[in-house]
Amino acid sequence: MRALLPDLAPWRSSADFRLLWVQGLITYFGSFMALIALPLQIKDLTGSPLAVGAMGAVELVPLVVFGLYGGALADSADRRRVILLTEAGLGVLAAVLLVNSLLPEPLLWPLYVVAGGVSALAGLQRPALDSLMARIVPHAQQTAAAALNSLRWQIGAIAGPALAGLVVAYAGHGTAYGVTVCTFAVSVVLCLRLSPAPPAGGAQKPSLRGIVEGARYAWSRPVLLGTYAIDLAAMFFAFPNTIFPFLADDLDAEWSLGLMYAAGSVGSLALTSGWTSRVRRHGLFVVFGAAAWGLAIAAAGWFSSVWVVLLCLAVAGAGDMLSGLGRATIWNQTIPEKLRGRLAGIEVLSYSVGPQLGQVRAGAMAGWTGTRSAIWTGGVACVASVALLTAALPKLVRYDSETDEDAVRRRAARPEA
């Protein structure tokens, strides 16, 4: 049983990890409330699917620009301060949504402005947040920490949208935004209790030169390139969430739409993680997890039974979690502290841009070949691309946390607590 349950070692060994875990759970809950309420409000105001879909275009550019800048900022500023200020800024934007929803006639344009602002602040915050894990959690506990963080996200991803739908339906958008404001207020209080996390000695101010330095380092490390490339390929070819409403129609099961969106998170939550702390070949996690994701998505597009489709989506979620554990562990075990923020900025792009582009691909293919065809062909393309990338970057598969040069160097630079 101990091998099946999550490894709680990071929770016991690091007070900052405990604070960030609780803070993140509260933030995810509030963020998912707003994530559901915002597109629903745009839909109510416009009745246009195009207007709702435009939100993704509004979010993409700020995410790219501020994600890269946020990585450089995380290497040159106190990461605790960056997290605190961006969290407070997100709370202010939630308050703007609340005020707008209380107007006699809510305005449309503030919704897009807030969506872009949230994307920008998230891009600034995530590199500081992600890079902090390598500092506050011992080297050997990075996989356990990644598993606990994934568990936290899945709880928020399941409970947040489910409750948001009920809150919006019975209490209105304003109540959902009010809950979001309250969660960010609590989160800011918790962030104030974090230990300072000043930059490494000799850190320089954020600059384009610094960002390029981080990109060059990533390009020179085949293991890192493999983690980025495989995740981008998997999400680009096999992220069909945007066409789930059409899949539900094809299966004559409109009632299953909410279950489709939740199935992946349920599958991730169901994947036991205690045993993963004893694994050393994390590159295999990335490869097998992404391949399992692609196979399961292909099966979801092929079968005509809605219950089998839901099972396939759950299996896909478990594969995605496995791949995510491998990526997070490799990043935190190998990247030098002085470059950790800038590489975290690149990581934000690798796992955020892929789903955005994947939704565009899925929508375009569905319009051309049909919904189910777009899904299963994307899954097959995902598996094929993972196989090609694995052959092109064999060092990823051979990665061993005990023998990899970068992992050994990183462990020596930061002795175990």
Side-chain angles (χ1 to χ4, degrees), residues 93-125:
L93 291 178
V96 171
L97 291 175
L98 173 60
V99 171
N100 183 63
S101 69
L102 297 177
L103 295 176
E105 294 185 9
L107 303 173
L108 179 61
W109 64 266
L111 305 184
Y112 290 109
V113 172
V114 169
V118 168
S119 185
L121 288 175
L124 285 174
Q125 183 188 82

PDB file of all heavy atoms in Angstrom, residues 93-125:
ATOM      1  N   LEU A  93      -7.394  41.598 -10.830  1.00  0.00           N
ATOM      2  CA  LEU A  93      -8.109  41.322 -12.076  1.00  0.00           C
ATOM      3  C   LEU A  93      -9.416  40.571 -11.810  1.00  0.00           C
ATOM      4  O   LEU A  93     -10.436  40.811 -12.471  1.00  0.00           O
ATOM      5  CB  LEU A  93      -7.224  40.512 -13.025  1.00  0.00           C
ATOM      6  CG  LEU A  93      -6.011  41.257 -13.598  1.00  0.00           C
ATOM      7  CD1 LEU A  93      -5.180  40.339 -14.484  1.00  0.00           C
ATOM      8  CD2 LEU A  93      -6.450  42.487 -14.392  1.00  0.00           C
ATOM      9  N   ALA A  94      -9.401  39.676 -10.827  1.00  0.00           N
ATOM     10  CA  ALA A  94     -10.640  38.982 -10.452  1.00  0.00           C
ATOM     11  C   ALA A  94     -11.655  39.979  -9.910  1.00  0.00           C
ATOM     12  O   ALA A  94     -12.860  39.862 -10.163  1.00  0.00           O
ATOM     13  CB  ALA A  94     -10.345  37.903  -9.417  1.00  0.00           C
ATOM     14  N   ALA A  95     -11.167  40.986  -9.176  1.00  0.00           N
ATOM     15  CA  ALA A  95     -12.064  42.021  -8.654  1.00  0.00           C
ATOM     16  C   ALA A  95     -12.674  42.840  -9.794  1.00  0.00           C
ATOM     17  O   ALA A  95     -13.839  43.264  -9.712  1.00  0.00           O
ATOM     18  CB  ALA A  95     -11.310  42.925  -7.690  1.00  0.00           C
ATOM     19  N   VAL A  96     -11.903  43.068 -10.855  1.00  0.00           N
ATOM     20  CA  VAL A  96     -12.437  43.781 -12.025  1.00  0.00           C
ATOM     21  C   VAL A  96     -13.587  42.985 -12.645  1.00  0.00           C
ATOM     22  O   VAL A  96     -14.627  43.546 -13.018  1.00  0.00           O
ATOM     23  CB  VAL A  96     -11.321  44.021 -13.067  1.00  0.00           C
ATOM     24  CG1 VAL A  96     -11.893  44.561 -14.367  1.00  0.00           C
ATOM     25  CG2 VAL A  96     -10.281  44.990 -12.509  1.00  0.00           C
ATOM     26  N   LEU A  97     -13.404  41.678 -12.759  1.00  0.00           N
ATOM     27  CA  LEU A  97     -14.486  40.839 -13.279  1.00  0.00           C
ATOM     28  C   LEU A  97     -15.720  40.917 -12.385  1.00  0.00           C
ATOM     29  O   LEU A  97     -16.858  40.962 -12.873  1.00  0.00           O
ATOM     30  CB  LEU A  97     -14.020  39.383 -13.383  1.00  0.00           C
ATOM     31  CG  LEU A  97     -12.959  39.062 -14.438  1.00  0.00           C
ATOM     32  CD1 LEU A  97     -12.530  37.600 -14.313  1.00  0.00           C
ATOM     33  CD2 LEU A  97     -13.474  39.351 -15.842  1.00  0.00           C
ATOM     34  N   LEU A  98     -15.497  40.919 -11.081  1.00  0.00           N
ATOM     35  CA  LEU A  98     -16.615  41.002 -10.134  1.00  0.00           C
ATOM     36  C   LEU A  98     -17.384  42.306 -10.302  1.00  0.00           C
ATOM     37  O   LEU A  98     -18.617  42.303 -10.392  1.00  0.00           O
ATOM     38  CB  LEU A  98     -16.087  40.874  -8.705  1.00  0.00           C
ATOM     39  CG  LEU A  98     -17.106  41.098  -7.575  1.00  0.00           C
ATOM     40  CD1 LEU A  98     -18.246  40.096  -7.669  1.00  0.00           C
ATOM     41  CD2 LEU A  98     -16.410  41.010  -6.221  1.00  0.00           C
ATOM     42  N   VAL A  99     -16.653  43.415 -10.359  1.00  0.00           N
ATOM     43  CA  VAL A  99     -17.306  44.726 -10.501  1.00  0.00           C
ATOM     44  C   VAL A  99     -18.069  44.803 -11.820  1.00  0.00           C
ATOM     45  O   VAL A  99     -19.216  45.267 -11.873  1.00  0.00           O
ATOM     46  CB  VAL A  99     -16.259  45.860 -10.412  1.00  0.00           C
ATOM     47  CG1 VAL A  99     -16.888  47.205 -10.777  1.00  0.00           C
ATOM     48  CG2 VAL A  99     -15.655  45.917  -9.014  1.00  0.00           C
ATOM     49  N   ASN A 100     -17.458  44.338 -12.898  1.00  0.00           N
ATOM     50  CA  ASN A 100     -18.119  44.380 -14.206  1.00  0.00           C
ATOM     51  C   ASN A 100     -19.388  43.534 -14.212  1.00  0.00           C
ATOM     52  O   ASN A 100     -20.405  43.921 -14.808  1.00  0.00           O
ATOM     53  CB  ASN A 100     -17.159  43.883 -15.284  1.00  0.00           C
ATOM     54  CG  ASN A 100     -17.756  43.957 -16.681  1.00  0.00           C
ATOM     55  OD1 ASN A 100     -18.073  45.030 -17.181  1.00  0.00           O
ATOM     56  ND2 ASN A 100     -17.924  42.803 -17.302  1.00  0.00           N
ATOM     57  N   SER A 101     -19.360  42.386 -13.531  1.00  0.00           N
ATOM     58  CA  SER A 101     -20.536  41.508 -13.510  1.00  0.00           C
ATOM     59  C   SER A 101     -21.696  42.109 -12.729  1.00  0.00           C
ATOM     60  O   SER A 101     -22.847  41.721 -12.938  1.00  0.00           O
ATOM     61  CB  SER A 101     -20.159  40.144 -12.902  1.00  0.00           C
ATOM     62  OG  SER A 101     -19.890  40.267 -11.520  1.00  0.00           O
ATOM     63  N   LEU A 102     -21.393  43.058 -11.827  1.00  0.00           N
ATOM     64  CA  LEU A 102     -22.436  43.677 -11.008  1.00  0.00           C
ATOM     65  C   LEU A 102     -23.078  44.890 -11.682  1.00  0.00           C
ATOM     66  O   LEU A 102     -24.049  45.450 -11.151  1.00  0.00           O
ATOM     67  CB  LEU A 102     -21.856  44.092  -9.648  1.00  0.00           C
ATOM     68  CG  LEU A 102     -21.333  42.939  -8.774  1.00  0.00           C
ATOM     69  CD1 LEU A 102     -20.719  43.484  -7.495  1.00  0.00           C
ATOM     70  CD2 LEU A 102     -22.444  41.945  -8.460  1.00  0.00           C
ATOM     71  N   LEU A 103     -22.527  45.311 -12.840  1.00  0.00           N
ATOM     72  CA  LEU A 103     -23.131  46.433 -13.566  1.00  0.00           C
ATOM     73  C   LEU A 103     -24.501  46.039 -14.106  1.00  0.00           C
ATOM     74  O   LEU A 103     -24.752  44.865 -14.398  1.00  0.00           O
ATOM     75  CB  LEU A 103     -22.218  46.842 -14.728  1.00  0.00           C
ATOM     76  CG  LEU A 103     -20.839  47.409 -14.377  1.00  0.00           C
ATOM     77  CD1 LEU A 103     -20.029  47.664 -15.649  1.00  0.00           C
ATOM     78  CD2 LEU A 103     -20.957  48.678 -13.557  1.00  0.00           C
ATOM     79  N   PRO A 104     -25.399  47.009 -14.253  1.00  0.00           N
ATOM     80  CA  PRO A 104     -26.718  46.694 -14.831  1.00  0.00           C
ATOM     81  C   PRO A 104     -26.602  46.014 -16.191  1.00  0.00           C
ATOM     82  O   PRO A 104     -27.374  45.108 -16.503  1.00  0.00           O
ATOM     83  CB  PRO A 104     -27.386  48.063 -14.934  1.00  0.00           C
ATOM     84  CG  PRO A 104     -26.713  48.894 -13.888  1.00  0.00           C
ATOM     85  CD  PRO A 104     -25.300  48.423 -13.849  1.00  0.00           C
ATOM     86  N   GLU A 105     -25.617  46.467 -16.990  1.00  0.00           N
ATOM     87  CA  GLU A 105     -25.344  45.849 -18.285  1.00  0.00           C
ATOM     88  C   GLU A 105     -23.840  45.598 -18.378  1.00  0.00           C
ATOM     89  O   GLU A 105     -23.071  46.481 -18.780  1.00  0.00           O
ATOM     90  CB  GLU A 105     -25.811  46.741 -19.436  1.00  0.00           C
ATOM     91  CG  GLU A 105     -27.324  46.911 -19.495  1.00  0.00           C
ATOM     92  CD  GLU A 105     -27.765  47.695 -20.725  1.00  0.00           C
ATOM     93  OE1 GLU A 105     -26.904  47.956 -21.608  1.00  0.00           O
ATOM     94  OE2 GLU A 105     -28.948  48.047 -20.813  1.00  0.00           O
ATOM     95  N   PRO A 106     -23.364  44.409 -17.998  1.00  0.00           N
ATOM     96  CA  PRO A 106     -21.917  44.111 -18.025  1.00  0.00           C
ATOM     97  C   PRO A 106     -21.323  44.352 -19.405  1.00  0.00           C
ATOM     98  O   PRO A 106     -21.959  44.083 -20.433  1.00  0.00           O
ATOM     99  CB  PRO A 106     -21.860  42.631 -17.638  1.00  0.00           C
ATOM    100  CG  PRO A 106     -23.104  42.407 -16.832  1.00  0.00           C
ATOM    101  CD  PRO A 106     -24.146  43.281 -17.474  1.00  0.00           C
ATOM    102  N   LEU A 107     -20.107  44.867 -19.427  1.00  0.00           N
ATOM    103  CA  LEU A 107     -19.413  45.174 -20.674  1.00  0.00           C
ATOM    104  C   LEU A 107     -18.630  43.959 -21.160  1.00  0.00           C
ATOM    105  O   LEU A 107     -18.168  43.128 -20.360  1.00  0.00           O
ATOM    106  CB  LEU A 107     -18.472  46.358 -20.471  1.00  0.00           C
ATOM    107  CG  LEU A 107     -19.124  47.657 -19.965  1.00  0.00           C
ATOM    108  CD1 LEU A 107     -18.057  48.702 -19.631  1.00  0.00           C
ATOM    109  CD2 LEU A 107     -20.096  48.197 -21.004  1.00  0.00           C
ATOM    110  N   LEU A 108     -18.434  43.880 -22.471  1.00  0.00           N
ATOM    111  CA  LEU A 108     -17.717  42.747 -23.058  1.00  0.00           C
ATOM    112  C   LEU A 108     -16.209  42.966 -23.061  1.00  0.00           C
ATOM    113  O   LEU A 108     -15.450  42.061 -22.713  1.00  0.00           O
ATOM    114  CB  LEU A 108     -18.208  42.500 -24.490  1.00  0.00           C
ATOM    115  CG  LEU A 108     -17.525  41.354 -25.255  1.00  0.00           C
ATOM    116  CD1 LEU A 108     -17.747  40.020 -24.546  1.00  0.00           C
ATOM    117  CD2 LEU A 108     -18.033  41.296 -26.694  1.00  0.00           C
ATOM    118  N   TRP A 109     -15.772  44.165 -23.431  1.00  0.00           N
ATOM    119  CA  TRP A 109     -14.343  44.377 -23.628  1.00  0.00           C
ATOM    120  C   TRP A 109     -13.500  44.143 -22.371  1.00  0.00           C
ATOM    121  O   TRP A 109     -12.362  43.651 -22.484  1.00  0.00           O
ATOM    122  CB  TRP A 109     -14.064  45.770 -24.211  1.00  0.00           C
ATOM    123  CG  TRP A 109     -14.439  46.940 -23.347  1.00  0.00           C
ATOM    124  CD1 TRP A 109     -15.598  47.644 -23.362  1.00  0.00           C
ATOM    125  CD2 TRP A 109     -13.619  47.523 -22.317  1.00  0.00           C
ATOM    126  NE1 TRP A 109     -15.576  48.638 -22.420  1.00  0.00           N
ATOM    127  CE2 TRP A 109     -14.377  48.597 -21.781  1.00  0.00           C
ATOM    128  CE3 TRP A 109     -12.343  47.270 -21.816  1.00  0.00           C
ATOM    129  CZ2 TRP A 109     -13.884  49.395 -20.740  1.00  0.00           C
ATOM    130  CZ3 TRP A 109     -11.856  48.065 -20.792  1.00  0.00           C
ATOM    131  CH2 TRP A 109     -12.612  49.105 -20.271  1.00  0.00           C
ATOM    132  N   PRO A 110     -13.994  44.466 -21.161  1.00  0.00           N
ATOM    133  CA  PRO A 110     -13.152  44.169 -19.992  1.00  0.00           C
ATOM    134  C   PRO A 110     -12.848  42.685 -19.828  1.00  0.00           C
ATOM    135  O   PRO A 110     -11.813  42.318 -19.249  1.00  0.00           O
ATOM    136  CB  PRO A 110     -13.988  44.689 -18.810  1.00  0.00           C
ATOM    137  CG  PRO A 110     -14.882  45.718 -19.399  1.00  0.00           C
ATOM    138  CD  PRO A 110     -15.214  45.187 -20.751  1.00  0.00           C
ATOM    139  N   LEU A 111     -13.729  41.831 -20.336  1.00  0.00           N
ATOM    140  CA  LEU A 111     -13.486  40.390 -20.209  1.00  0.00           C
ATOM    141  C   LEU A 111     -12.247  39.972 -20.999  1.00  0.00           C
ATOM    142  O   LEU A 111     -11.445  39.160 -20.533  1.00  0.00           O
ATOM    143  CB  LEU A 111     -14.709  39.610 -20.674  1.00  0.00           C
ATOM    144  CG  LEU A 111     -16.046  39.965 -19.995  1.00  0.00           C
ATOM    145  CD1 LEU A 111     -17.151  39.041 -20.493  1.00  0.00           C
ATOM    146  CD2 LEU A 111     -15.923  39.890 -18.484  1.00  0.00           C
ATOM    147  N   TYR A 112     -12.084  40.549 -22.186  1.00  0.00           N
ATOM    148  CA  TYR A 112     -10.899  40.238 -22.990  1.00  0.00           C
ATOM    149  C   TYR A 112      -9.644  40.867 -22.392  1.00  0.00           C
ATOM    150  O   TYR A 112      -8.562  40.264 -22.416  1.00  0.00           O
ATOM    151  CB  TYR A 112     -11.097  40.721 -24.419  1.00  0.00           C
ATOM    152  CG  TYR A 112     -12.127  39.929 -25.188  1.00  0.00           C
ATOM    153  CD1 TYR A 112     -13.356  40.493 -25.518  1.00  0.00           C
ATOM    154  CD2 TYR A 112     -11.870  38.623 -25.583  1.00  0.00           C
ATOM    155  CE1 TYR A 112     -14.315  39.774 -26.221  1.00  0.00           C
ATOM    156  CE2 TYR A 112     -12.816  37.894 -26.289  1.00  0.00           C
ATOM    157  CZ  TYR A 112     -14.027  38.476 -26.600  1.00  0.00           C
ATOM    158  OH  TYR A 112     -14.967  37.758 -27.297  1.00  0.00           O
ATOM    159  N   VAL A 113      -9.775  42.080 -21.880  1.00  0.00           N
ATOM    160  CA  VAL A 113      -8.625  42.739 -21.245  1.00  0.00           C
ATOM    161  C   VAL A 113      -8.139  41.928 -20.050  1.00  0.00           C
ATOM    162  O   VAL A 113      -6.940  41.701 -19.875  1.00  0.00           O
ATOM    163  CB  VAL A 113      -8.996  44.176 -20.817  1.00  0.00           C
ATOM    164  CG1 VAL A 113      -7.869  44.785 -19.991  1.00  0.00           C
ATOM    165  CG2 VAL A 113      -9.282  45.043 -22.030  1.00  0.00           C
ATOM    166  N   VAL A 114      -9.084  41.481 -19.239  1.00  0.00           N
ATOM    167  CA  VAL A 114      -8.714  40.674 -18.075  1.00  0.00           C
ATOM    168  C   VAL A 114      -8.100  39.343 -18.508  1.00  0.00           C
ATOM    169  O   VAL A 114      -7.110  38.879 -17.922  1.00  0.00           O
ATOM    170  CB  VAL A 114      -9.937  40.431 -17.170  1.00  0.00           C
ATOM    171  CG1 VAL A 114      -9.632  39.370 -16.118  1.00  0.00           C
ATOM    172  CG2 VAL A 114     -10.360  41.730 -16.493  1.00  0.00           C
ATOM    173  N   ALA A 115      -8.650  38.712 -19.546  1.00  0.00           N
ATOM    174  CA  ALA A 115      -8.092  37.444 -20.033  1.00  0.00           C
ATOM    175  C   ALA A 115      -6.638  37.620 -20.457  1.00  0.00           C
ATOM    176  O   ALA A 115      -5.773  36.791 -20.119  1.00  0.00           O
ATOM    177  CB  ALA A 115      -8.930  36.914 -21.188  1.00  0.00           C
ATOM    178  N   GLY A 116      -6.351  38.711 -21.181  1.00  0.00           N
ATOM    179  CA  GLY A 116      -4.971  38.986 -21.574  1.00  0.00           C
ATOM    180  C   GLY A 116      -4.091  39.295 -20.377  1.00  0.00           C
ATOM    181  O   GLY A 116      -2.935  38.860 -20.301  1.00  0.00           O
ATOM    182  N   GLY A 117      -4.638  40.052 -19.413  1.00  0.00           N
ATOM    183  CA  GLY A 117      -3.872  40.382 -18.214  1.00  0.00           C
ATOM    184  C   GLY A 117      -3.558  39.160 -17.372  1.00  0.00           C
ATOM    185  O   GLY A 117      -2.446  39.020 -16.839  1.00  0.00           O
ATOM    186  N   VAL A 118      -4.525  38.273 -17.228  1.00  0.00           N
ATOM    187  CA  VAL A 118      -4.300  37.031 -16.481  1.00  0.00           C
ATOM    188  C   VAL A 118      -3.205  36.202 -17.147  1.00  0.00           C
ATOM    189  O   VAL A 118      -2.326  35.646 -16.479  1.00  0.00           O
ATOM    190  CB  VAL A 118      -5.604  36.222 -16.372  1.00  0.00           C
ATOM    191  CG1 VAL A 118      -5.327  34.806 -15.872  1.00  0.00           C
ATOM    192  CG2 VAL A 118      -6.590  36.927 -15.449  1.00  0.00           C
ATOM    193  N   SER A 119      -3.243  36.125 -18.476  1.00  0.00           N
ATOM    194  CA  SER A 119      -2.230  35.366 -19.203  1.00  0.00           C
ATOM    195  C   SER A 119      -0.844  35.970 -18.994  1.00  0.00           C
ATOM    196  O   SER A 119       0.142  35.245 -18.797  1.00  0.00           O
ATOM    197  CB  SER A 119      -2.584  35.346 -20.695  1.00  0.00           C
ATOM    198  OG  SER A 119      -1.698  34.526 -21.416  1.00  0.00           O
ATOM    199  N   ALA A 120      -0.759  37.306 -19.000  1.00  0.00           N
ATOM    200  CA  ALA A 120       0.524  37.980 -18.799  1.00  0.00           C
ATOM    201  C   ALA A 120       1.062  37.726 -17.387  1.00  0.00           C
ATOM    202  O   ALA A 120       2.236  37.398 -17.202  1.00  0.00           O
ATOM    203  CB  ALA A 120       0.375  39.474 -19.050  1.00  0.00           C
ATOM    204  N   LEU A 121       0.209  37.882 -16.377  1.00  0.00           N
ATOM    205  CA  LEU A 121       0.652  37.668 -14.997  1.00  0.00           C
ATOM    206  C   LEU A 121       1.008  36.203 -14.736  1.00  0.00           C
ATOM    207  O   LEU A 121       1.961  35.911 -14.016  1.00  0.00           O
ATOM    208  CB  LEU A 121      -0.435  38.126 -14.026  1.00  0.00           C
ATOM    209  CG  LEU A 121      -0.636  39.640 -13.902  1.00  0.00           C
ATOM    210  CD1 LEU A 121      -1.820  39.960 -13.003  1.00  0.00           C
ATOM    211  CD2 LEU A 121       0.634  40.303 -13.368  1.00  0.00           C
ATOM    212  N   ALA A 122       0.247  35.295 -15.340  1.00  0.00           N
ATOM    213  CA  ALA A 122       0.576  33.878 -15.196  1.00  0.00           C
ATOM    214  C   ALA A 122       1.928  33.575 -15.830  1.00  0.00           C
ATOM    215  O   ALA A 122       2.722  32.784 -15.297  1.00  0.00           O
ATOM    216  CB  ALA A 122      -0.511  33.021 -15.830  1.00  0.00           C
ATOM    217  N   GLY A 123       2.200  34.211 -16.982  1.00  0.00           N
ATOM    218  CA  GLY A 123       3.498  34.035 -17.631  1.00  0.00           C
ATOM    219  C   GLY A 123       4.639  34.556 -16.776  1.00  0.00           C
ATOM    220  O   GLY A 123       5.723  33.971 -16.744  1.00  0.00           O
ATOM    221  N   LEU A 124       4.410  35.650 -16.059  1.00  0.00           N
ATOM    222  CA  LEU A 124       5.430  36.188 -15.166  1.00  0.00           C
ATOM    223  C   LEU A 124       5.622  35.300 -13.936  1.00  0.00           C
ATOM    224  O   LEU A 124       6.739  35.125 -13.450  1.00  0.00           O
ATOM    225  CB  LEU A 124       5.033  37.589 -14.703  1.00  0.00           C
ATOM    226  CG  LEU A 124       5.172  38.740 -15.701  1.00  0.00           C
ATOM    227  CD1 LEU A 124       4.589  40.018 -15.117  1.00  0.00           C
ATOM    228  CD2 LEU A 124       6.637  38.955 -16.083  1.00  0.00           C
ATOM    229  N   GLN A 125       4.524  34.743 -13.442  1.00  0.00           N
ATOM    230  CA  GLN A 125       4.582  34.020 -12.175  1.00  0.00           C
ATOM    231  C   GLN A 125       5.105  32.597 -12.291  1.00  0.00           C
ATOM    232  O   GLN A 125       5.890  32.136 -11.451  1.00  0.00           O
ATOM    233  CB  GLN A 125       3.184  33.975 -11.541  1.00  0.00           C
ATOM    234  CG  GLN A 125       3.155  33.302 -10.186  1.00  0.00           C
ATOM    235  CD  GLN A 125       1.745  33.096  -9.662  1.00  0.00           C
ATOM    236  OE1 GLN A 125       1.084  32.141 -10.045  1.00  0.00           O
ATOM    237  NE2 GLN A 125       1.286  33.992  -8.802  1.00  0.00           N
TER     238      GLN A 125
END
